[in-house]
Amino acid sequence: MKGCAVPLLRVGPDVELYYEDAGSGPPVLLVAGWPLTSESWECQVGALVEAGHRVLTYDRRGFGRTTRAWDGYTPATLVDDLHGLITHLDLTDVVLVGFSSGAVETARYLATHGSDRVHGLVLASPLGGASALGRDLRAAARWHRVAMLDDVLTRFFSVNGEIALDEATRRHLLSTAAASSARATLTVIDAWSDPTLDLAADVAAAGLPTLVISGEGDAVAPSHRVDAPTVVIPSGPHGVHITHPQQWNQAVLKFLTG
């Protein structure tokens, strides 16, 4: 049985990527959505390891325990960082699981680096390119970053204006997001709001087994255009893997064993 390692991987001249590697079996790589870190997968890692999977999580550059770089927050560099992790660990037949903007990141990874090492794809509450929300967040991030993050993490976990997550957990996630680089917080919004990115086209071109999973009450990304089997969790918000982890894990494990 593989233990839980916590090394740093150098992915550029000045960037060391923090990652964790737990369990053994078919690999699953969890990609957090902006502005969250690998800690947002707490309720998934244990369940997937117990089900017989090797589970990888990481903090993208500028976030969590990865180097707070000034540059490199472009779609190309971010997916190159992901590719560096996959090749360093020599992952094959890995299932990529991306939440929110992380879903866009995993799809762009496939479009950039191909699917030779990838077995399948889980798009969790996927976002879809440029939006009015993205423009508002960029403006707020420049001058009121922590207040903006507080508002974002209220939206992530709310359904019809009511928060579906205990406040202690929401505040913990807010503290991890606020501790990330201010530069990264702002510029990653730009990266995954690029109007030239096409999540649906990237997924279709890859031709891999794909699952879309989202919350019924998602007010951040209420719709998607990906042609794939979809699970909608009743009364779930955007961050449904955190508010409804048992239902979410069950749906993903069914996909992984199917």
Side-chain angles (χ1 to χ4, degrees):
M1 171 68 72
K2 180 183 290 296
C4 184
V6 289
L8 296 171
L9 169 66
R10 185 169 291 276
V11 292
D14 303 307
V15 176
E16 290 185 314
L17 202 70
Y18 175 90
Y19 70 95
E20 295 189 5
D21 182 353
S24 60
V28 180
L29 199 164
L30 306 174
V31 182
W34 175 97
L36 301 175
T37 71
S38 59
E39 292 192 34
S40 62
W41 295 113
E42 179 178 340
C43 292
Q44 280 66 53
V45 172
L48 291 170
V49 169
E50 289 171 7
H53 291 276
R54 179 184 179 187
V55 183
L56 299 308
T57 60
Y58 75 103
D59 293 337
R60 66 176 49 79
R61 63 172 59 209
F63 289 82
R65 288 155 284 189
T66 287
T67 305
R68 296 162 63 94
W70 184 257
D71 295 311
Y73 300 105
T74 65
T77 303
L78 293 170
V79 299
D80 282 350
D81 290 349
L82 175 57
H83 183 62
L85 180 62
I86 289 173
T87 55
H88 171 73
L89 296 172
D90 195 23
L91 299 180
T92 57
D93 290 328
V94 62
V95 173
L96 300 179
V97 180
F99 165 65
S100 193
S101 63
V104 184
E105 195 162 346
T106 56
R108 180 50 30 172
Y109 169 84
L110 296 172
T112 305
H113 294 285
S115 58
D116 290 349
R117 291 178 174 269
V118 184
H119 176 73
L121 187 63
V122 176
L123 304 174
S125 307
L127 287 179
S131 67
L133 175 60
R135 291 190 296 272
D136 291 344
L137 293 178
R138 283 193 295 274
R142 291 186 181 278
W143 309 112
H144 308 287
R145 184 177 67 95
V146 175
M148 177 274 294
L149 291 171
D150 194 358
D151 177 63
V152 165
L153 294 186
T154 297
R155 299 191 197 200
F156 269 27
F157 305 118
S158 293
V159 176
N160 296 325
E162 294 190 8
I163 296 180
L165 183 69
D166 65 274
E167 182 62 7
T169 300
R170 194 190 73 86
R171 299 298 297 183
H172 169 68
L173 294 170
L174 173 60
S175 70
T176 62
S180 297
S181 159
R183 169 78 171 174
T185 301
L186 174 62
T187 52
V188 168
I189 299 173
D190 291 329
W192 300 121
S193 297
D194 186 336
T196 66
L197 296 175
D198 191 330
L199 173 91
D202 287 347
V203 172
L208 294 172
T210 300
L211 173 70
V212 177
I213 181 167
S214 59
E216 180 185 33
D218 189 339
V220 176
S223 63
H224 61 82
R225 296 172 293 168
V226 178
D227 183 15
T230 300
V231 172
V232 177
I233 295 179
S235 303
H238 185 61
V240 67
H241 67 295
I242 296 172
T243 60
H244 295 65
Q246 292 177 315
Q247 297 98 308
W248 195 97
N249 293 348
Q250 182 179 28
V252 171
L253 284 168
K254 183 177 179 180
F255 171 76
L256 294 175
T257 57

